[in-house]
Amino acid sequence: MINQQPVTGLELWQWRNEAIQSAITHDISPVEVDWLLQEIAGLDRLSLRLESFKVWDQVQTQISLAELDQLWLRRLHDRLPVQYIAGVTPWRKFKLAVSSAVLIPRPETEMLIDLAVAAGVSSGLQSGHWADLGTGSGAIALGLAEVLINATIHAVDFSPEALAVAKTNAENLGFGEQVKFYQSSWWEPLESLKGQFSGMVSNPPYIPSDTVLTLQPEVVKHEPHLALDGGVDGLDCIRHLIEVSPAYLRPGGAWLIEMMAGQADIVRELLENKGHYCNISIHRDLAGTERFAVAYTTV
């Protein structure tokens, strides 16, 4: 999506009408059509609502109308997520690059940043070293960098392809210096900083293995299963983070994760049984689901 392709406003208007009808037929939100045109053709909401672009001699699109049509057919028939078609997704104040190498950042995950800020304020650990383990697109690392301006964020991911996307986002958003990237597994590349981390935030794989293939086709067919599959009960990665993190966090350091609906009681129990955590709390997302766990290492 580099070379701009000119099309007439009338051509684009006709394509939009057909795409909206096909979206309705395939039980896809018609809103996706306009969002895609905002990204691909640079149209604003008012132009789309008033359909004023219909009379324009030319609209500069990032791809040709034929290519757009082919991608839209993949949205309809192959359930390709619209964010992958556009190559970007909004998240907090950012516009993040995304590809099939990374999970599409979800709106509910934005709350992890607010919880991290609250945890940092309450513990006086807003600076120093913070870790985003399993960074994917880099969303959490960049969210932390924006609000914890005096902290260094260490972002780790096992996938080189995901890390390339995260690095691109960091550079695009001006956080290339504040966020450090590592291609490895969880805490492993941060051995030299053991005991020095103010906080750790993670949105790890937490879907039980036999549940992954029952998710929406957009997820099953296109999002990376490595970032979804959390083992038999979905808790393999969370167990690891509970077990290993106390060695890396400072006394009183913050530990925050996102989890699946129904996992809160087990996660709380695992944290309590470890014996290295205190002030354990469970937080709901905007839909009322127990989605996040916050704890602090014992002093």
Side-chain angles (χ1 to χ4, degrees):
M1 298 186 187
I2 297 172
N3 297 321
Q4 291 197 325
Q5 305 283 331
V7 300
T8 68
L10 182 60
E11 288 174 323
L12 203 59
W13 176 79
Q14 291 170 331
W15 183 89
R16 175 179 181 255
N17 287 343
E18 291 170 5
I20 287 172
Q21 288 306 311
S22 65
I24 294 168
T25 301
H26 288 82
D27 199 25
I28 290 170
S29 172
V31 173
E32 288 192 13
V33 177
D34 281 358
W35 182 80
L36 185 58
L37 288 176
Q38 288 178 61
E39 297 300 331
I40 297 293
L43 298 176
D44 58 46
R45 291 179 184 176
L46 185 61
S47 299
L48 287 161
R49 191 167 76 242
L50 299 178
E51 300 185 346
S52 57
F53 66 93
K54 178 181 176 180
V55 299
W56 296 357
D57 291 334
Q58 215 174 68
V59 180
Q60 293 292 335
T61 57
Q62 294 180 26
I63 54 178
S64 70
L65 209 53
E67 290 171 309
L68 178 58
D69 205 44
Q70 285 301 309
L71 287 169
W72 185 248
L73 287 174
R74 289 195 63 198
R75 175 73 190 104
L76 299 176
H77 302 298
D78 196 31
R79 310 306 281 195
L80 178 68
V82 69
Q83 295 91 336
Y84 289 158
I85 295 175
V88 295
T89 193
W91 196 80
R92 284 181 75 87
K93 298 176 183 177
F94 308 137
K95 184 178 286 187
L96 298 175
V98 291
S99 76
S100 57
V102 300
L103 288 184
I104 298 164
R106 274 35 177 197
E108 59 265 26
T109 305
E110 295 182 16
M111 285 186 65
L112 262 180
I113 307 302
D114 301 320
L115 290 169
V117 171
V121 169
S122 68
S123 58
L125 296 172
Q126 295 163 278
S127 58
H129 300 285
W130 279 74
D132 169 22
L133 303 182
T135 194
S137 66
I140 290 173
L142 301 173
L144 291 173
E146 183 194 22
V147 293
L148 301 175
I149 57 174
N150 294 316
T152 299
I153 315 300
H154 302 265
V156 181
D157 204 284
F158 190 74
S159 164
E161 294 80 12
L163 216 56
V165 174
K167 287 178 179 177
T168 295
N169 283 322
E171 292 297 332
N172 289 347
L173 295 167
F175 295 112
E177 293 297 317
Q178 191 183 357
V179 183
K180 314 297 181 187
F181 292 97
Y182 308 82
Q183 193 270 309
S184 191
S185 179
W186 306 119
W187 285 108
E188 286 177 13
L190 305 173
E191 183 94 17
S192 64
L193 293 169
K194 259 189 173 182
Q196 298 181 45
F197 280 85
S198 299
M200 179 224 80
V201 185
S202 182
N203 180 12
Y206 53 66
I207 308 295
S209 299
D210 62 2
T211 303
V212 171
L213 295 179
T214 70
L215 300 173
Q216 294 172 289
E218 285 85 349
V219 176
V220 175
K221 296 175 73 172
H222 300 287
E223 299 202 62
H225 288 202
L226 180 68
L228 295 166
D229 192 334
V232 175
D233 63 357
L235 292 165
D236 284 2
C237 300
I238 292 175
R239 281 194 187 88
H240 176 77
L241 292 173
I242 290 172
E243 183 66 28
V244 176
S245 297
Y248 288 83
L249 292 167
R250 293 170 55 179
W255 185 95
L256 301 92
I257 58 115
E258 180 174 322
M259 59 193 165
M260 184 178 172
Q263 293 177 336
D265 289 343
I266 303 172
V267 170
R268 181 194 291 276
E269 185 179 342
L270 289 168
L271 286 163
E272 289 172 346
N273 290 345
K274 175 63 178 171
H276 289 77
Y277 298 95
C278 61
N279 299 330
I280 300 162
S281 58
I282 304 298
H283 300 264
R284 297 177 184 271
D285 62 20
L286 295 177
T289 301
E290 292 184 324
R291 179 70 62 189
F292 312 104
V294 180
Y296 300 86
T297 50
T298 51
V299 178

